Amino acid sequence: MRQVTIRIAAWAVLCWPGAAIAEDLPAPLDDAAWPAVDVAEAALGQLLFYDPILSGNREVACATCHHPEFGTSDGLSLPLGDGGHGLGPARAIDPENPPEQRVPRNSQALWNVGAHEYVSMFHDGRVERDASAPGGLRTPLDADMVAGFASMLSAQTMFPVLSPDEMAGHYSENEVAQAVRQGRLTGPGGAWELIAQRVAALPDYAERFEAVYGLAPQEIGFTDISNAIAAFITFEFRSDTSPFDARLREDTPLSPEAEEGLGLFYGAAGCADCHSGPFLTDHGFHAMGAPQIGPGKAARFESHARDEGRFRVTGRAEDLHAFRTPSLRNVALTAPYGHAGSHATLRGFVADHLDPVATMARYDRAQAVLPRMEVADWRILDDAEEAGAIGAAVTAPPVALTEEEIDALVAFLEALSDPVAAAGRLGVPGAVPSGLTVPNP
């Protein structure tokens, strides 16, 4: 009986290759994949997401580095937060307030990050669900983390406002940055309370928090702000109406080239080994040899420029240079690519990703999208030993594809673009309660 079954399966693959692929495709998404969202709460979060009042110097909003115009990223290899002006690839250093350094990792896209399936945040997963931790979350603050988060996504939102190079600014410039430098994050006079007081002092926000949460101005905490932002992100950046979704739901064919790419993705190219499930991520961490540029992730007392990825969270040698598998939803909209934004084009990244160890040696540095800044961006790639360590951590075997097959893979990845999500549901507000400038190209 087993031989007959094998022969029938083999015959099915030969006569209809789609039969084998269909077994590997994820089930279509439905509303159960996301938490329910109160639209009034999302509308409050929309204003906060686009309002620079949350940054130390009142110049940077969440949307500065996560703008829908750039696929909910920022169009740069490495972000330029506090100390910059403009948006996207046009962003430049403010000569009156230059930043100390680039933000060390590429700005991650926000598509679907509010879905139930997500178990960690950031490239290294340093904010993640952990049933054994207080509040069910493990974060870099651990026991010092305050309670009151509606979700893991809400907890993640708490951290960019504490980063000097992202939103807080330099310690001599504002009271939020001073609190961060002194280690006063939570409690009275802490950075989060100072930001919450700014928001609560604005009548429009005070009225909205009363309507949505029933809170008086003096009761508004930063967890309430982050909960609203998380509700907005969940609502606004849900993405499940792409051509690929129509393929899953109604078996609507993709273009012939994209169908070929789908077969490669779930077949010979092995992409689905990591980019699995409905969000095209296994939520795991893998060392895939993407080139590292920029300052790296070192502690204040360290002088190196390495970014050791997940290893800095777990301390396990097997996690060296491993980074979170990104979701590929709307990936064609989110250039540049890689944890350090090393590749300007999707096709270029896919081609190099097939054999990253071999291609690192011929990596073209000109494709990095970096605003001019007098910093050492190439310390790691200029050091043969450091660059070699990135390659040595890769365990995945190389994959050989023709140029035409690479084109087909890219065509499939483009079929993951969702016009409904890209257009937005609430969109970009024309103004915010603070009266500060809304980030917009």
Side-chain angles (χ1 to χ4, degrees):
M1 181 63 70
R2 188 179 176 202
Q3 285 183 327
V4 172
T5 303
I6 293 172
R7 286 173 183 168
I8 291 174
W11 174 87
V13 172
L14 290 172
C15 296
W16 181 41
I21 295 169
E23 295 178 359
D24 297 323
L25 295 180
L29 289 161
D30 59 26
D31 290 346
W34 290 268
V37 175
D38 178 347
V39 177
E41 184 181 20
L44 170 58
Q46 174 209 26
L47 297 175
L48 293 162
F49 184 85
Y50 285 95
D51 198 334
I53 198 171
L54 301 187
S55 64
N57 290 322
R58 297 176 171 85
E59 296 176 345
V60 181
C62 304
T64 303
C65 294
H66 298 284
H67 201 284
E69 183 72 17
F70 307 104
T72 69
S73 184
D74 66 350
L76 298 173
S77 295
L78 298 174
L80 187 59
D82 179 81
H85 58 76
L87 205 62
R91 192 162 175 77
I93 289 173
D94 179 358
E96 301 300 319
N97 177 34
E100 294 179 355
Q101 188 53 270
R102 303 188 198 278
V103 177
R105 290 174 179 159
N106 182 254
S107 179
Q108 287 192 298
L110 300 180
W111 308 111
N112 295 317
V113 293
H116 293 302
E117 183 178 300
Y118 277 72
V119 294
S120 66
M121 297 283 164
F122 295 113
H123 285 283
D124 56 12
R126 62 188 182 273
V127 172
E128 60 186 327
R129 292 181 191 162
D130 183 348
S132 66
L137 295 172
R138 188 171 64 78
T139 79
L141 292 180
D142 287 333
D144 292 329
M145 196 70 174
V146 296
F149 300 109
S151 64
M152 179 183 60
L153 175 58
S154 175
Q156 180 274 333
T157 306
M158 303 280 280
F159 287 91
V161 298
L162 303 178
S163 168
D165 291 323
E166 292 182 56
M167 296 182 73
H170 302 165
Y171 73 93
S172 60
E173 295 174 339
N174 63 76
E175 76 282 11
V176 174
Q178 288 173 356
V180 171
R181 185 63 176 262
Q182 294 167 2
R184 293 185 292 110
L185 308 180
T186 63
W192 286 328
E193 182 184 80
L194 293 172
I195 296 171
Q197 289 173 345
R198 287 183 183 179
V199 171
L202 296 172
D204 192 352
Y205 276 132
E207 291 174 9
R208 290 173 183 270
F209 274 95
E210 168 67 29
V212 172
Y213 297 122
L215 297 172
Q218 66 273 18
E219 297 174 312
I220 298 171
F222 196 85
T223 50
D224 305 304
I225 293 171
S226 64
N227 286 342
I229 292 174
F232 167 70
I233 291 172
T234 300
F235 180 78
E236 183 77 355
F237 303 131
R238 169 174 169 168
S239 181
D240 64 332
T241 51
S242 68
F244 178 61
D245 292 295
R247 174 73 160 76
L248 296 180
R249 291 191 180 108
E250 296 95 30
D251 203 24
T252 304
L254 305 176
S255 70
E257 187 176 31
E259 281 289 343
E260 179 187 353
L262 181 148
L264 290 164
F265 187 94
Y266 287 96
C271 307
D273 291 348
C274 297
H275 295 284
S276 56
F279 298 111
L280 292 96
T281 172
D282 62 359
H283 301 285
F285 300 86
H286 307 279
M288 298 304 295
Q292 188 214 312
I293 56 182
K297 292 285 284 187
R300 286 189 176 274
F301 58 86
E302 296 174 315
S303 59
H304 67 76
R306 294 189 297 276
D307 189 340
E308 296 168 321
R310 182 68 172 167
F311 173 78
R312 292 192 67 83
V313 176
T314 67
R316 298 192 299 254
E318 59 267 30
D319 288 331
L320 274 167
H321 304 293
F323 294 89
R324 194 179 187 284
T325 305
S327 168
L328 298 181
R329 292 284 180 163
N330 294 302
V331 66
L333 309 179
T334 64
Y337 303 97
H339 70 273
S342 54
H343 288 71
T345 69
L346 182 56
R347 193 189 191 284
F349 185 81
V350 170
D352 282 2
H353 195 58
L354 296 171
D355 190 358
V357 178
T359 55
M360 189 182 300
R362 58 177 184 271
Y363 168 68
D364 179 10
R365 301 182 184 189
Q367 65 185 302
V369 185
L370 297 168
R372 183 174 177 81
M373 189 173 179
E374 297 302 319
V375 291
D377 288 318
W378 308 106
R379 285 175 60 187
I380 294 300
L381 292 185
D382 283 339
D383 187 317
E385 183 176 351
E386 295 282 9
I390 296 174
V394 176
T395 58
V399 177
L401 295 181
T402 67
E403 294 297 313
E404 292 75 16
E405 287 172 327
I406 293 173
D407 289 338
L409 262 184
V410 173
F412 168 66
L413 296 176
E414 290 171 343
L416 302 174
S417 296
D418 180 345
V420 174
R425 293 173 173 84
L426 296 177
V428 181
V432 289
S434 69
L436 297 168
T437 302
V438 175
N440 226 0

